[in-house]
Amino acid sequence: TSPCAVQPGAVTARHWGARRWLAALDSPVVPVLVCSVTVATCFTVGALRYLTYHAWAYDLGYFTQVVDRTAAGHPFQTTFAPYSFLGQHWEPILLVPALATRLVDTPLLLLAVQAAGLGLAPVAAWRLARVWVGGRVAPAAASCATALSPLLASAAAYDFHTEAMTPVLALFALDAGARGRHRTFLLLVGALFLVKEDAMLVAAGVG
């Protein structure tokens, strides 16, 4: 027998090894793992910036004050401007963290909400790729590509901004539309109209 000959058993082992890898890529464990790593990374970056006094006043400080004032019964008021914050940016979605602030009053809450939104975006991309593309590799690749996108990285490095919620809402809306879940689709598109004025363009594109 030639020393270079490939034994049938080795081919079979490689075949089953490749199938196991493909099966692993098709598992929901992939988006869950990507989501967990993304949430942990984004929150850690934001929290370290805040705890080491590197957070910017016109980002985290601004939004923290708007949320705190709203929670105290003074909707969208801030000392940064002599008018309502809604006159500068249309972001009614801040009512959600304002309600949560009545229970947990810390700027870290905003960073946690943002990290959760950024972390769920790869999950939405995984689900959408399963419907639009199918297969085993494409959904995992879409999930990883979303987590590694410059948009998510820059959002984590610039404290808190509501537009960080745009990718996850848009991707889940597209997923709901692709699966024929029209009510969920309309709710998610409607939520985009509450994120920021820029997100309305995204909502129009998704619709």
Side-chain angles (χ1 to χ4, degrees):
T1 303
S2 171
C4 297
V6 179
Q7 299 298 322
V11 175
T12 303
R14 292 177 183 176
H15 175 71
W16 281 105
R19 292 188 62 180
R20 288 182 63 183
W21 273 107
L22 288 175
L25 288 176
D26 194 38
S27 171
V29 172
V30 172
V32 170
L33 179 61
V34 174
C35 173
S36 301
V37 173
T38 304
V39 170
T41 302
C42 292
F43 180 74
T44 300
V45 170
L48 287 177
R49 284 179 52 83
Y50 167 68
L51 296 173
T52 57
Y53 301 99
H54 286 84
W56 293 332
Y58 273 92
D59 287 320
L60 185 60
Y62 200 142
F63 285 106
T64 297
Q65 189 183 74
V66 171
V67 168
D68 285 345
R69 295 292 291 164
T70 301
H74 305 282
F76 302 99
Q77 290 187 5
T78 172
T79 59
F80 285 86
Y83 46 81
S84 171
F85 176 72
L86 292 180
Q88 182 177 9
H89 290 295
W90 173 255
E91 302 182 24
I93 199 171
L94 289 174
L95 289 170
V96 176
L99 292 174
T101 296
R102 298 179 68 89
L103 300 176
V104 182
D105 190 7
T106 171
L108 294 176
L109 174 65
L110 295 178
L111 298 176
V113 170
Q114 177 171 276
L118 295 174
L120 286 172
V123 177
W126 181 81
R127 287 176 54 86
L128 182 59
R130 284 173 65 89
V131 178
W132 276 4
V133 183
R136 296 179 175 179
V137 178
S143 180
C144 293
T146 303
L148 296 173
S149 69
L151 175 62
L152 266 66
S154 61
Y158 281 88
D159 300 330
F160 175 82
H161 290 280
T162 56
E163 54 263 41
M165 306 303 294
T166 301
V168 63
L169 291 174
L171 288 170
F172 271 124
L174 289 171
D175 175 66
R179 296 173 186 270
R181 299 173 181 173
H182 303 299
R183 292 183 180 179
T184 303
F185 171 78
L186 292 175
L187 285 174
L188 290 169
V189 170
L192 282 169
F193 278 90
L194 304 178
V195 172
K196 196 175 181 181
E197 62 273 9
D198 299 346
M200 294 181 184
L201 298 175
V202 178
V206 170

